[in-house]
Amino acid sequence: EEICPPGEGDAPQPCQWASAVNVRHRYIYAAQPALNRVLVVDVQAQKVLQSVGVDPLPAKLSYDKSHDQVWVLSWGDVHKSQPSLQVCFSVAAVLLRCFCLQSINRNSLAFGAKGLRSDLHCDMKVITEASTGQGQRLLRTPFVGVEDFFIPPTNLIINHVRFGFIFNKSDPAVHKVDLETLMPVKTIGLQSHSCVPQGMAHTHLGGYYFIQCRQDSPSPGAPQLLIDSVTDSVVGPNGDVTGTPRTSPDGRFVISATATSPQLYVQEITTLGEIQTRYVLKISQGISDMAFQHSFTEGNQYYVYATLQTAPDLLFLELSTGKTGVLKNLKEPPAGLGQPWGGPRRMVRDSGLFGQYLLTPAQESLFLVNGRQNALRCEVSGIKGGTTVVWVGEV
C-alpha cells in the first residue's frame, strides 16, 4: 500500500512521521501528522492493516501496556492552539465510560452516564485493545488545553500501571487519571512552587515522581519538584537539579539534562528510598537525547548513551563510576534545531531491555552502535532526516 499517497497534480505529498510505538512486537502504530492519521502496521506481514483518522497534527503516541491502549496527542494546528488527547480502541473492546472536563482547573469536573453535556467542551480521545491490530476506533475523553501526558513505563519489577498524568501549558498542576476507567482522580497543585510542569519521570524505588518545571526565560532553569506517589503530596524541590528527568529501567538512577544547559545530573535512589546526587557533569554541547544500556559485565549496572545538541558525537557514560567516553564522527544530526513535532534534534534509541544495539540518525543516514563493544556497528545510507525509530523484538 501507499503509506504516503501522492498529492494533486505534480505537487509532492508531504510524508512526515512524528511518533511511533511498538505494540507487543506484533504491530507498529505510526503517526503521520500532515495526513491526520495513525497507521497500524503488521510487523510479520510487513503491511498496513488500517489507517485511523485522528485529530489534526498527531505529534505523540504512547502505548499503555497495562491496559493495551494507545494514547494520541494531537496539536490541532502548528501553534498547538487546539490540542487534544485521544485513545485508540478495538471495536471488540468493552464500552468505556466517557467523561467531560469543563476546565482543566481542579474541582470543575462534570460527568454524564448517557452522554456528554452539550455545554461542555470535549477534546480528548483514547485506543484500547491495541494489540488486536484491526477495527480500531477512537474514544473521546475530554481534557482541555493538554500540553503533554505521562504514563509510567512498566519494568521487571512493576508490570502493571494504574495511573497516568496530564498537564497543560499554563496550569501549575498535574492531573492524575485512572487508566482503567479514564476518570480523573485528583489534581496535584504546584502553584506554591510556581511550577508549570513540562516533563515527568517515575521510580518505584522510594515511590517518587520527578517534575520538570517549565522555563520561559534564558535564566537558569527552575529546580525539579518531587511528588510522593503514595500520598500524591509535593515533597519539595529536588535540590538544585534542573532539566528533563529520565530513570534507568531498574529505577535506581535518575539522569537530568537538557539541550540548553551544560549540566548533567546523575542521582541514585538507595535501597532505603533516599535520593543522593552522585555527580554533576559539564557537557558544554548540551544533551539532545539519551538511552539506557544495561552492563554486559556487571550485574545491576547501567550505561547511558547520549546524543549531543551541537556536536556529531555520541557520549558514553558509566553510571556507577561517572566514567565517560565519546564515539566520534557520526556525521551531523538532522538539520534544524529540533524536530518539527517536538522531538529531540538527534534521537538515540536502545533495542530493548536486554538488547545490545542502539540507533541514531544523521542527516542522510542511520548509525547502528554495538553497546556490548561500545563501538560503531555500521552506517545505513539513504535515510534522510530520520525522526522516528521503533525496535521490534529483542536484538
Side-chain angles (χ1 to χ4, degrees):
E1 291 82 2
E2 293 181 346
I3 58 176
C4 293
E8 297 181 1
D10 297 330
Q13 177 77 7
C15 184
Q16 298 177 328
W17 306 93
S19 179
V21 291
N22 175 349
V23 175
R24 301 188 180 182
H25 304 295
R26 298 170 58 190
Y27 305 102
I28 294 173
Y29 283 64
Q32 291 186 299
L35 300 175
N36 303 333
R37 68 183 186 182
V38 172
L39 296 185
V40 183
V41 181
D42 186 304
V43 171
Q44 185 174 4
Q46 296 279 301
K47 70 176 184 178
V48 176
L49 293 182
Q50 185 180 358
S51 172
V52 183
V54 298
D55 285 347
L57 301 187
K60 175 182 176 179
L61 304 184
S62 181
Y63 178 53
D64 174 15
K65 185 177 180 180
S66 299
H67 305 93
D68 196 20
Q69 57 193 23
V70 174
W71 292 61
V72 185
L73 176 63
S74 296
W75 287 359
D77 56 43
V78 294
H79 304 291
K80 301 184 183 181
S81 63
Q82 297 179 333
S84 65
L85 192 55
Q86 309 169 274
V87 183
C88 228
F89 70 98
S90 166
V91 293
V94 176
L95 179 63
L96 299 178
R97 286 174 290 174
C98 193
F99 64 92
C100 270
L101 184 61
Q102 186 171 17
S103 72
I104 202 67
N105 295 323
R106 72 193 74 175
N107 300 326
S108 59
L109 303 179
F111 302 90
K114 296 183 179 180
L116 304 179
R117 282 176 45 184
S118 59
D119 60 330
L120 297 182
H121 178 61
C122 307
D123 62 356
M124 171 183 169
K125 295 181 185 176
V126 183
I127 299 175
T128 69
E129 291 192 12
S131 62
T132 61
Q134 298 189 35
Q136 299 301 321
R137 296 295 185 270
L138 290 171
L139 177 65
R140 181 174 293 274
T141 48
F143 285 91
V144 177
V146 177
E147 174 74 7
D148 205 349
F149 64 96
F150 172 70
I151 300 176
T154 57
N155 54 39
L156 293 178
I157 304 300
I158 305 299
N159 56 23
H160 184 81
V161 175
R162 178 70 184 274
F163 302 105
F165 294 86
I166 293 172
F167 40 93
N168 72 9
K169 58 186 176 182
S170 60
D171 191 14
V174 291
H175 305 275
K176 189 174 183 179
V177 177
D178 189 318
L179 297 174
E180 294 182 0
T181 64
L182 302 180
M183 293 289 188
V185 176
K186 66 171 62 174
T187 294
I188 304 173
L190 308 176
Q191 180 65 52
S192 60
H193 296 276
S194 301
C195 176
V196 176
Q198 182 177 1
M200 292 183 66
H202 173 257
T203 174
H204 63 278
L205 298 178
Y208 293 107
Y209 291 109
F210 296 79
I211 308 294
Q212 176 189 13
C213 300
R214 182 174 301 280
Q215 183 65 29
D216 296 323
S217 66
S219 60
Q224 294 175 1
L225 291 182
L226 296 175
I227 293 179
D228 187 315
S229 64
V230 177
T231 63
D232 292 329
S233 59
V234 179
V235 178
N238 182 20
D240 59 354
V241 176
T242 62
T244 304
R246 299 176 177 89
T247 55
S248 60
D250 60 354
R252 179 182 169 192
F253 291 97
V254 181
I255 293 81
S256 301
T258 65
T260 58
S261 172
Q263 306 296 329
L264 185 149
Y265 300 86
V266 177
Q267 296 178 289
E268 183 177 7
I269 315 299
T270 68
T271 55
L272 298 178
E274 299 175 344
I275 303 175
Q276 298 179 348
T277 298
R278 292 288 299 270
Y279 45 85
V280 180
L281 300 178
K282 185 175 182 180
I283 312 297
S284 58
Q285 299 90 349
I287 299 297
S288 178
D289 195 18
M290 64 177 66
F292 291 92
Q293 176 81 62
H294 75 281
S295 173
F296 294 96
T297 58
E298 300 181 45
N300 301 321
Q301 297 295 334
Y302 282 87
Y303 305 132
V304 165
Y305 283 86
T307 54
L308 305 179
Q309 182 72 2
T310 59
D313 303 325
L314 191 64
L315 176 70
F316 167 83
L317 170 63
E318 190 177 66
L319 288 178
S320 60
T321 65
K323 177 182 177 181
T324 62
V326 176
L327 297 180
K328 292 183 174 296
N329 301 321
L330 299 187
K331 297 186 178 179
E332 291 295 327
L337 297 178
Q339 301 301 341
W341 310 113
R345 181 181 183 187
R346 187 174 201 169
M347 71 172 65
V348 58
R349 293 290 183 269
D350 61 87
S351 57
L353 186 59
F354 300 107
Q356 63 174 312
Y357 294 102
L358 303 104
L359 197 65
T360 184
Q363 287 189 11
E364 297 188 0
S365 62
L366 300 173
F367 284 92
L368 185 66
V369 175
N370 188 326
R372 181 188 292 271
Q373 299 177 354
N374 192 23
L376 178 65
R377 175 66 176 84
C378 66
E379 179 183 5
V380 182
S381 60
I383 308 296
K384 297 184 178 181
T387 60
T388 306
V389 173
V390 179
W391 287 93
V392 181
E394 297 292 345
V395 183

